[in-house]
Amino acid sequence: MGDSGAIREVWASSHVGLVRSNNEDRIAVQGWKSSANHGSWHGKISASRGWALIADGMGGHDAGEYASEIVVEHMLGGIDSANSNEELEALLQQTNERVFISMLDPRGRPRMGSTIVGIKFCGSQTFFFNIGDSRAYVVEPNGLLQVSKDDTASIRGVRSHALTQSLGGSTKRLPIRPHIMQKGTTLDRPILLCSDGLSDLLADDEIANIIVRNPNNPANALLTSALDAGGDDNVSVIFIA
């Protein structure tokens, strides 16, 4: 088992960007969650029980911000006790069902949806999970290693923004197949979670260089760089040192 007293330092930032009128991203870490158009947090989480996640409401769909709120709220209700592949999968399936039910709420809309990416530390085990195109990376000495899987369609071999699965996002309940990656030994490398508002604007090597140059607040530095590159989408970043 991992050291139950060990901690990880975390920086989290979310921004509406320079084009959109509202922020459809919602982010949360153990002990904090974002709201409204901007939010940032710096603190510590447990290295044996901590977690972090990003939900990106689907652009172009009504009530994307409500969908991402529903995703975060439902995940918060179960992630502390989800300590295996099976339990995380069940929680994600339940969250998908909750999005569909919430389409009937006053704030809900048909076809509203969200992506999700997250991490959960469970003793010496580390679980990454995602649905959609929000990403998780391990920061290695020689660059970024993407551990999430992009659920996007390819057109003539080129990745598009068309999602092949999401939480909600359609008028009928489609089966989802969450990507859950388990690391069986204690993972002490830095970890980056982000919405596509970052990864679409900055190449992986740019992201890695910004992290190296900004050890005091890597999340804010990445967010600022995405805004400098155009900021045409909401941007959300969680960096775990």
Side-chain angles (χ1 to χ4, degrees):
M1 295 293 290
D3 180 357
S4 61
I7 57 174
R8 302 287 293 260
E9 190 168 12
V10 181
W11 293 262
S13 293
S14 184
H15 195 283
V16 66
L18 303 178
V19 176
R20 304 289 179 87
S21 59
N22 62 320
N23 192 351
E24 296 184 333
D25 291 358
R26 292 293 182 269
I27 63 178
V29 300
Q30 185 183 36
W32 176 83
K33 64 179 179 178
S34 69
S35 61
N37 282 344
H38 311 295
S40 62
W41 183 84
H42 175 219
K44 296 175 181 179
I45 64 173
S46 169
S48 60
R49 303 180 309 278
W51 52 265
L53 61 87
I54 294 174
D56 179 357
M58 291 168 60
H61 289 209
D62 289 341
E65 71 280 2
Y66 185 50
S68 59
E69 287 176 17
I70 292 296
V71 168
V72 168
E73 289 297 332
H74 196 75
M75 291 295 295
L76 262 59
I79 195 166
D80 283 327
S81 59
N83 297 313
S84 67
N85 281 52
E86 295 76 16
E87 289 170 346
L88 282 167
E89 164 129 12
L91 179 58
L92 289 164
Q93 296 286 355
Q94 293 160 10
T95 302
N96 184 53
E97 179 65 16
R98 175 55 56 185
V99 174
F100 277 102
I101 292 172
S102 299
M103 292 179 189
L104 301 177
D105 292 350
R107 290 182 61 196
R109 295 291 185 274
R111 300 179 68 243
M112 72 179 190
S114 178
T115 72
I116 190 170
V117 65
I119 186 170
K120 173 71 188 289
F121 297 113
C122 300
S124 61
Q125 308 290 311
T126 302
F127 294 93
F128 294 90
F129 55 88
N130 84 282
I131 298 169
D133 59 357
S134 297
R135 289 184 174 180
Y137 297 93
V138 174
V139 184
E140 300 285 4
N142 60 345
L144 299 183
L145 173 65
Q146 183 179 340
V147 293
S148 57
K149 306 294 184 184
D150 290 336
D151 289 318
T152 53
S154 294
I155 300 174
R156 298 192 179 99
V158 178
R159 175 175 168 261
S160 73
H161 288 280
L163 295 182
T164 56
Q165 67 170 349
S166 62
L167 297 168
S170 62
T171 54
K172 63 184 259 186
R173 287 166 169 78
L174 300 174
I176 59 168
R177 297 175 177 84
H179 306 290
I180 301 174
M181 292 67 67
Q182 179 178 356
K183 302 292 184 182
T185 57
T186 301
L187 180 63
D188 57 4
R189 297 298 309 165
I191 295 158
L192 172 67
L193 308 178
C194 66
S195 63
D196 64 348
L198 179 77
S199 56
D200 281 352
L201 290 179
L202 301 177
D204 287 2
D205 58 346
E206 293 179 88
I207 293 173
N209 288 334
I210 293 166
I211 290 170
V212 170
R213 295 197 305 266
N214 296 274
N216 293 325
N217 195 338
N220 188 64
L222 289 167
L223 188 151
T224 299
S225 296
L227 297 179
D228 290 343
D232 58 1
D233 197 358
N234 308 146
V235 187
S236 293
V237 181
I238 298 175
F239 185 85
I240 304 173

